[in-house]
Amino acid sequence: RGIASWEIECGRGAGFDEIEHRAGGIEWSVHCPPRAFPPGTYTWRYRGVDGRGAKTEWSRPRTFTVPAGAAAMPMPERAHLLARIPRTHPRLFLRPENLAHLRELAGGALAGRFRDLEKECERILAAPPPTEEPRKYPPDMARGSEEWRSLWWGNRVYTIRALDSAAKLGFTRLLGGKEEYGQLARRILLECARWDPKGATGYRYNDEAGMPYAYYFSRTYSFIHDLLSEGERSACCAVMKIRGDELYRHLCPAHLWRPYGSHSNRAWHFLGEVGIAFLGEVEGAEDWIWFAMNVFFNVYPVWSDAEGGWHEGVSYWSSYIGRFTWWADVMRAAMGIDAYDKPYFSKAGYYAMYLMPPGKTGGGFGDGASRRRAQNLVPLMSQLAAQAGNPHWRWYVEQMGGPSEEGGYIGFIRGALPEVSPSPPGDLATSRLFRGTGQAYLNTTLMSAAEDVQVVFKSSPRGTWSHGSDANNAFLLFAYGERLLIRSGHYYNYGGPHHAGWVWSTRSVNSITVNGRDQLKRSPAAKGEIVAFRTSPSIDIAVGEAGGAYGVRSPGEDRPLLERFTRAILFVKPDLVVVYDRLAAPEASSFEYWLHAIHRFEMDGQRRIGVRSGGVLCDIDFLAPDGLILAQTDQYDPNPVERIREREWHLTASTPSKARSVEFVALYRPHRATEVVPSAASLQPLDGGYLLEAQIQGGTITALLPSRDDAELEARGLRARGRIAIERRGASGEVVERVEMGE
């Protein structure tokens, strides 16, 4: 409280004798230096300065290391950054000096795209969009009701139709189109400028309508700036001053230290667009731009990791990153900042390639992802490939019919980017860990989902919140283009009874409940971690720990419900998945193992369970513990709304009695229905663990599975201490691969 600004000091090594970087007058709680540090170890500290100039004590020192080869992405100083933005218009997506080149392309290499733009504009001329102000919610309308949702989303669609039409008209006129285009764009813009900025399309009233109003209005304004009189410009500036300030007050500075708001993670870069469009014309626009750039350099994207992973699922990934690519275009044109210098964006497309090989249906974890198709990702992957110049990502879209040509003015501008030559992923491992978001994608091939067997495994330090509410130590199984073991439930109303009661529960995924209790629902405290990972062409292993995700035994206690839940996935490619679970509780407990499928499970005891999807089967064998109580149902708790008739099947394998600890050993054998696959397997108890032996196609596997961390296990020529060891042998008994793996 009372701090007006911050100072920061960063020294080489373990102290401050040699200062590498010093900065003061820092307005917010983030700072990205304007130059890159050489590789090495550094120590930093900060202090506050109040309005009278009095300084706090220095904070405790903290140390970090810049490794050799780290991405260098210094942030230009404020004055230098703002000076890069053109002082004349247009400023969004293109610069005034780009116009001549784009006009040349419109008459030459991109003539076809430009003709499409003109056709769109002719349709708008023939039937202009309505511009009457949308209505607000009636006083007696229940928030969240179907009627409310219809008006809430309907006003978004209405706003986009009006102002996106104006932006298309304005841009097309810039490149030599008819003056009628510009005049209609001007009329639409000025009529929308009369809407109450705190009304039905106000950001705080309905952000889904307020956000597109802000950025489409700003684009149109910049595209037709020369057609507007001084009075008309003033009217537009007055409107966007109110709307921009409302966005800024909502986002700044809290978004810098609480950057998890789902909608706010779009709104900040839309505010940046508004700031660029109205720089020098609206008071505060400089602050809006500087804030947006600080978000980008310091905290965005928060749901990601440095390997390209995404916490909230592929549906929200494609939606949010798709919109972000607009900001990547804007930053590059206005300020010369390349988003793909950032580690996340340099790898973002690998998330899609590993999770959804070409032709796949089923997008893994996250709201709205379960029925997503790889084909749905072609538009975004086309843009990522073009913007980043990545040949693997271009190959990916080529497998599904080639790049998707985006329409409109953005598609035209992107058409001017250099062509990227495709390169197949033969130089890549087929499996990948996205460590920071706690997901591993284990594949037999990246070439085609029709030939792939895939295990998706989640144990995430990001917890179980926002749109990535799926419980930890959960897995999914896909094979040969079919969904075998799935993430169940229906996503149609965020936080509604079915979503909160079922989808947020551990019971809805392939994981384990304890005494019938879920992991903490929709909570950042429900943390997991993939503590070990190894991949090879023959065997993948991923180990997750999620014992802490279940919280405490009862409110007010500090004793956990579960002391450990260690799940190891051993994928012997392509036909055997071993799932080995170790659970320990502070008191005797029951444990319920959950599995989910599109169709009914066929059960003949715990050693003979099967599930089918299309022409693909999965044989399931629970080797341990003995005496599991099996049950299945096609009902949810609670069921979705009546209009959703589809039901999935949920199997539980419950322990027959309570115990403080239990080990589950389950084998999954995915295969085409036309194939005959081995089924022989045995599990022998050892002192401190188990010996697993199983037949596979073309050979056998032997594995040591410890039940104690200090156990010395030895059998069949394998030895291990508290660690998993697995050996794969061919048909002639030769060792193909031997792996030892622990936490």
Side-chain angles (χ1 to χ4, degrees), residues 304-367:
S304 70
D305 61 28
E307 288 81 24
W310 193 255
H311 165 82
E312 296 201 288
V314 71
S315 181
Y316 278 84
W317 176 78
S318 58
S319 173
Y320 278 54
I321 299 302
R323 291 179 175 91
F324 175 83
T325 62
W326 300 342
W327 180 242
D329 286 332
V330 168
M331 282 196 305
R332 185 178 59 247
M335 293 171 281
I337 301 297
D338 187 350
Y340 297 90
D341 288 340
K342 199 164 193 175
Y344 166 72
F345 288 104
S346 72
K347 299 182 179 71
Y350 293 116
Y351 170 70
M353 287 185 65
Y354 279 86
L355 174 60
M356 302 193 72
K360 183 168 180 255
T361 297
F365 295 114
D367 282 334

Side-chain angles (χ1 to χ4, degrees), residues 128-158:
T131 55
E132 294 181 5
E133 183 168 0
R135 67 188 182 99
K136 298 177 76 171
Y137 309 124
D140 58 348
M141 181 176 283
R143 183 177 179 85
S145 65
E146 290 296 316
E147 295 78 13
W148 179 91
R149 290 178 61 80
S150 177
L151 185 56
W152 165 71
W153 196 257
N155 282 351
R156 169 189 166 82
V157 173
Y158 182 93

Side-chain angles (χ1 to χ4, degrees), residues 608-645:
R608 294 175 60 85
I609 302 172
V611 67
R612 180 170 186 150
S613 181
V616 182
L617 304 176
C618 182
D619 303 326
I620 304 169
D621 182 354
F622 279 101
L623 291 167
D626 291 330
L628 289 170
I629 302 168
L630 302 179
Q632 67 173 313
T633 179
D634 65 348
Q635 299 299 299
Y636 308 90
D637 179 21
N639 279 322
V641 292
E642 188 174 347
R643 63 181 168 82
I644 296 178
R645 306 277 183 182

Side-chain angles (χ1 to χ4, degrees), residues 447-629:
M447 304 299 288
S448 168
E451 301 301 320
D452 186 33
V453 177
Q454 182 193 59
V455 181
V456 175
F457 181 48
K458 175 189 177 181
S459 196
S460 175
R462 299 301 177 95
T464 60
W465 60 321
S466 192
H467 294 293
S469 58
D470 318 78
N472 286 307
N473 275 9
F475 74 98
L476 309 170
L477 181 61
F478 304 84
Y480 309 114
E482 297 291 339
R483 300 161 61 214
L484 289 173
L485 296 173
I486 66 169
R487 192 268 180 270
S488 70
H490 302 275
Y491 178 54
Y492 57 91
N493 181 13
Y494 186 86
H498 175 70
H499 192 236
W502 180 261
V503 176
W504 289 355
S505 76
T506 307
R507 294 165 291 131
S508 69
V509 294
N510 303 310
S511 190
I512 295 175
T513 53
V514 183
N515 294 329
R517 283 180 52 180
D518 299 311
Q519 295 175 22
L520 297 172
K521 287 185 180 180
R522 193 179 173 271
S523 171
K527 295 183 184 298
E529 182 184 6
I530 296 181
V531 294
F533 174 79
R534 186 184 187 280
T535 181
S536 77
S538 178
I539 298 174
D540 290 340
I541 302 180
V543 182
E545 177 55 53
Y550 291 79
V552 297
R553 293 171 57 207
S554 60
E557 285 197 28
D558 58 2
R559 285 203 296 170
L561 178 66
L562 203 57
E563 293 171 339
R564 79 177 299 161
F565 174 15
T566 308
R567 169 163 277 181
I569 307 278
L570 289 68
F571 184 18
V572 184
K573 303 177 185 181
D575 57 327
L576 177 63
V577 179
V578 180
V579 179
Y580 175 47
D581 297 310
R582 299 166 60 188
L583 297 101
E587 64 180 20
S589 302
S590 61
F591 303 91
E592 303 84 31
Y593 194 119
W594 290 80
L595 293 175
H596 306 271
I598 299 170
H599 303 296
R600 185 184 184 94
F601 292 88
E602 299 298 326
M603 299 189 298
D604 184 13
Q606 69 180 63
R607 298 293 307 274
R608 294 175 60 85
I609 302 172
V611 67
R612 180 170 186 150
S613 181
V616 182
L617 304 176
C618 182
D619 303 326
I620 304 169
D621 182 354
F622 279 101
L623 291 167
D626 291 330
L628 289 170
I629 302 168

Side-chain angles (χ1 to χ4, degrees), residues 2-22:
I3 298 299
S5 66
W6 304 95
E7 294 179 355
I8 194 168
E9 242 180 20
C10 184
R12 287 179 178 267
F16 301 96
D17 293 336
E18 185 180 356
I19 299 299
E20 177 70 26
H21 179 68
R22 181 181 283 120

